[in-house]
Amino acid sequence: MRNNRAMASLPHRIAVLALDDVVGLDLGTPAQVFGTARTADLTPLYRVEVCTPGGWPIRSTAGFQVVPDHGLELLDSADTVIVPGIHDGPPLTDGTLDASVAAALRAAHDRGARIMSICTGAFVLAASGLLDGRRATTHWAYADRFRRFHPHVDLDPDVLFVDEGEVLTSAGVAAGIDLCLHVIRTDHGSAVANRSARRCVVPPWREGGQSQYIERPVPRTAETGTAATREWARQRLHEPVALRELAAHARMSVRTFTRHFRSETGLSPAQWLLQQRTEHARLLLETTDLTVDQIARHAGFGTTAALRQHFHSRVGVAPTAYRRTFRRTPDPVASRP
């Protein structure tokens, strides 16, 4: 949990480091998503600024130039540094990075700034050495090139984002939105992140383990998907839901259902249910006065011990500690699940 650092001084300062041939959507995503994150009294929680090497204008891939307000010195005081994707330049063509940019990124990391990348921005972080020995992701179409340039990085191209604590990476384009919402949720809780998602008109939560939308030889049709069954299961998190019931609802055999489910979500049905129940428990801890025992039942864990075990495993703290943290900034929401 990084919320203590994020809430220590408001607004939390975010520096977006743009390089030549920056992806237009990636560049605008942090300002749009983090700009919607506010307290209940509408106080901004983040301030997003853009910088380039030397403060010089750069090209974007969307047919416009970026004229920044800052140079690399912005990274000296930023709480979070985000590197958007690029479509050309040394990080993509030969795996190298300008020495001044690499030094600025490493210095920001060494003094405790959170470092993030969107899409092929992971090539920049990897070229600076910040991803060595870490798990990371990038756009699936660049996976082979990434592995060739950076064999010391544990690349996982099948997920939407990877959170390594102090360094976070996301897959292509829209996955950057998922990562930004994940950071808001980690910093300030589900209620704030859900409001931001509504303002951006995007789904409030797609778990990082969900598969990227990678090209497949035979596209699945709606009739063979598991989306309707996943929604059916979400409405029944408080009940025991067996794999056989899920398969029956989808009108598939257990084996076929499991294969389709993993293909669509990147998770087994059991892993996905545990994920959903944990997120529901997080929301109840933040927004209701239910006891931990009641939340365990409402979220489908059955017992308080099971909730504590799985919650600590996924979130990193006990349910009561999580509730204390996010009750420091109370939010006027309904008190019923």
Side-chain angles (χ1 to χ4, degrees):
M1 292 175 64
R2 292 180 296 269
N3 54 288
N4 288 341
R5 181 176 68 185
M7 297 167 70
S9 60
L10 296 178
H12 180 98
R13 296 190 65 193
I14 296 178
V16 179
L17 172 58
L19 303 180
D20 258 334
D21 290 295
V22 66
V23 178
L25 179 59
D26 293 358
L27 175 63
T29 291
Q32 179 62 43
V33 179
F34 286 108
T36 64
R38 298 172 180 268
T39 63
D41 63 0
L42 303 183
T43 301
L45 293 170
Y46 301 90
R47 183 174 73 194
V48 182
E49 300 170 284
V50 177
C51 68
T52 64
W56 293 103
I58 61 166
R59 298 181 304 274
S60 80
T61 61
F64 59 82
Q65 281 196 324
V66 179
V67 183
D69 291 333
H70 304 278
L72 290 176
E73 68 278 358
L74 183 64
L75 274 59
D76 296 339
S77 57
D79 301 305
T80 292
V81 177
I82 302 178
V83 181
I86 52 176
H87 274 181
D88 202 357
L92 274 186
T93 57
D94 58 25
T96 63
L97 182 63
D98 179 85
S100 63
V101 175
L105 285 169
R106 288 195 297 267
H109 171 266
D110 290 345
R111 66 172 177 77
R114 176 170 52 197
I115 310 295
M116 299 166 53
S117 68
I118 299 175
C119 193
T120 50
F123 279 78
V124 178
L125 299 191
S128 74
L130 290 179
L131 296 184
D132 285 353
R134 298 182 188 273
R135 182 168 168 260
T137 192
T138 189
H139 195 295
W140 61 268
Y142 291 86
D144 290 342
R145 186 186 308 188
F146 189 97
R147 289 193 178 102
R148 189 165 63 250
F149 288 160
H150 306 292
H152 299 299
V153 180
D154 180 12
L155 183 70
D156 185 352
D158 295 328
V159 295
L160 295 178
F161 59 82
V162 172
D163 182 345
E164 285 280 283
E166 56 190 12
V167 180
L168 303 89
T169 54
S170 77
V173 197
I177 299 174
D178 296 300
L179 178 58
C180 291
L181 288 172
H182 165 74
V183 168
I184 294 172
R185 180 176 295 105
T186 302
D187 287 348
H188 299 287
S190 297
V192 175
N194 290 350
R195 286 200 302 271
S196 293
R198 284 195 295 272
R199 292 191 180 103
C200 295
V201 197
V202 295
W205 181 67
R206 293 194 300 167
E207 174 67 19
Q210 178 173 326
S211 294
Q212 293 187 35
Y213 293 103
I214 300 173
E215 291 177 347
R216 301 178 187 277
V218 180
R220 291 183 302 275
T221 63
E223 289 75 14
T224 60
T226 64
T229 298
R230 295 200 302 273
E231 184 56 34
W232 177 82
R234 282 192 190 97
Q235 305 304 318
R236 292 162 175 79
L237 293 177
H238 59 287
E239 302 174 1
V241 180
L243 175 58
R244 187 165 297 178
E245 292 178 273
L246 294 170
H249 183 272
R251 299 182 180 180
M252 301 178 189
S253 69
V254 168
R255 183 175 179 180
T256 299
F257 175 80
T258 301
R259 184 176 70 252
H260 279 292
F261 196 98
R262 186 178 289 276
S263 176
E264 293 173 25
T265 68
L267 301 169
S268 70
Q271 291 170 325
W272 180 87
L273 276 171
L274 179 58
Q275 182 184 90
Q276 298 296 315
R277 285 178 168 139
T278 303
E279 288 304 308
H280 188 48
R282 286 175 65 155
L283 187 61
L284 294 178
L285 286 166
E286 294 174 30
T287 61
T288 75
D289 293 321
L290 295 173
T291 66
V292 173
D293 184 59
Q294 290 172 319
I295 289 173
R297 294 197 301 272
H298 280 295
F301 287 101
T303 67
T304 304
L307 169 62
R308 288 193 180 114
Q309 175 187 347
H310 292 296
F311 197 89
H312 193 282
S313 174
R314 290 189 61 83
V315 182
V317 296
T320 50
Y322 184 87
R323 168 172 271 173
R324 282 196 302 270
T325 297
F326 288 108
R327 284 300 179 91
R328 291 174 185 169
T329 52
D331 194 39
V333 293
S335 60
R336 288 180 292 179

